[in-house]
Amino acid sequence: RKEVEQDPGPFNVPEGATVAFNCTYSNSASQSFFWYRQDCRKEPKLLMSVYSSGNEDGRFTAQLNRASQYISLLIRDSKLSDSATYLCVVNSGDGQNFVFGPGTRLSVLP
Amino acid sequence: EAGVAQSPRYKIIEKRQSVAFWCNPISGHATLYWYQQILGQGPKLLIQFQNNGVVDDSQLPKDRFSAERLKGVDSTLKIQPAKLEDSAVYLCASSLRDRGPPSYGYTFGSGTRLTVV
């Protein structure tokens, strides 16, 4: 089993839609969780951290379920500019570095 | 604050040639990471430095890849000889903490896109 797995995608949604991405991780000792966004031919950039209590940043909501080792990202009222690949990131069990998932590609269509 | 600088942005080489990439981390950052990102995949850690020492190089193909960070600042990643499957984007990142990634994530450089033909 891979350390971090994500919905394979791609997701093609109309503007204004709500879309959710799922991510599972295998290492129960992981403590830090993030969502990164990567635009085509650009470097990944931090979108948001994921806290145990769940957190929201505008149209974006992240949730963590430690028991199920599951992370989610919800995007409401999708914009064309949300089109990108979304990477789930989990710190390794020894806390020394991050492990990236394969990413889920989102295309928001007019 | 200046970001993580990488060069070159693009490189095309023939298989079996050598290539080197350079990274200048954010000033004062003790930890530096090199990641490889193959098209359609997430970044994969190649090597992690703390100052000028190696913390983790377990996924570095040491028969052909080497990296150094001699003065604990700039770093160079080298591939010799290159193979077709080395075609990827090589990303550098740095963090202030002396061990492990920061709780707020870290910042990547813009990467070097390598094409091996």
Side-chain angles (χ1 to χ4, degrees):
Chain A
R1 181 183 173 188
K2 292 184 179 178
E3 197 161 350
V4 181
E5 297 190 78
Q6 295 186 238
D7 289 335
F11 284 57
N12 298 312
V13 303
E15 269 187 291
T18 296
V19 61
F21 304 134
N22 299 316
C23 170
T24 57
Y25 61 96
S26 61
N27 194 328
S28 59
S30 297
Q31 294 294 320
S32 301
F33 310 91
F34 306 87
W35 284 101
Y36 275 67
R37 171 195 168 124
Q38 186 170 28
D39 292 297
C40 187
R41 304 181 81 84
K42 299 284 189 180
E43 73 274 20
K45 293 185 178 178
L46 181 64
L47 177 65
M48 59 195 304
S49 302
V50 185
Y51 303 125
S52 296
S53 56
N55 50 300
E56 187 173 312
D57 182 3
R59 298 181 293 106
F60 299 82
T61 300
Q63 292 194 314
L64 167 65
N65 183 321
R66 287 187 186 274
S68 301
Q69 294 180 203
Y70 167 95
I71 305 161
S72 65
L73 176 68
L74 182 77
I75 305 176
R76 291 181 299 278
D77 189 23
S78 299
K79 311 291 185 189
L80 296 176
S81 57
D82 294 334
S83 297
T85 295
Y86 291 83
L87 298 160
C88 174
V89 185
V90 176
N91 82 304
S92 60
D94 61 5
Q96 291 304 304
N97 58 67
F98 289 134
V99 180
F100 285 75
T104 300
R105 185 174 169 187
L106 171 66
S107 293
V108 181
L109 308 173
Chain B
E1 178 183 76
V4 176
Q6 288 189 248
S7 67
R9 287 297 307 274
Y10 305 94
K11 191 75 177 178
I12 300 174
I13 62 172
E14 295 182 351
K15 59 183 179 184
R16 293 188 289 274
Q17 284 188 323
S18 302
V19 64
F21 314 126
W22 174 82
C23 173
N24 181 238
I26 293 172
S27 179
H29 280 197
T31 308
L32 184 148
Y33 310 80
W34 281 102
Y35 278 81
Q36 179 194 56
Q37 186 173 24
I38 293 172
L39 186 65
Q41 300 181 18
K44 182 186 83 171
L45 180 69
L46 291 176
I47 188 167
Q48 177 187 345
F49 290 96
Q50 177 188 330
N51 296 310
N52 60 348
V54 176
V55 173
D56 182 357
D57 64 356
S58 57
Q59 298 192 81
L60 188 73
K62 298 180 186 63
D63 57 334
R64 297 183 302 105
F65 285 65
S66 65
E68 60 184 13
R69 194 184 183 200
L70 292 175
K71 297 182 179 179
V73 181
D74 293 8
S75 177
T76 303
L77 176 69
K78 296 179 181 178
I79 307 175
Q80 181 180 10
K83 293 185 176 181
L84 296 178
E85 59 261 36
D86 298 332
S87 294
V89 176
Y90 291 85
L91 296 160
C92 180
S94 68
S95 72
L96 184 60
R97 282 184 53 171
D98 59 0
R99 287 188 72 80
S103 58
Y104 50 83
Y106 46 60
T107 302
F108 285 95
S110 54
T112 296
R113 184 175 298 274
L114 173 68
T115 302
V116 182
V117 297

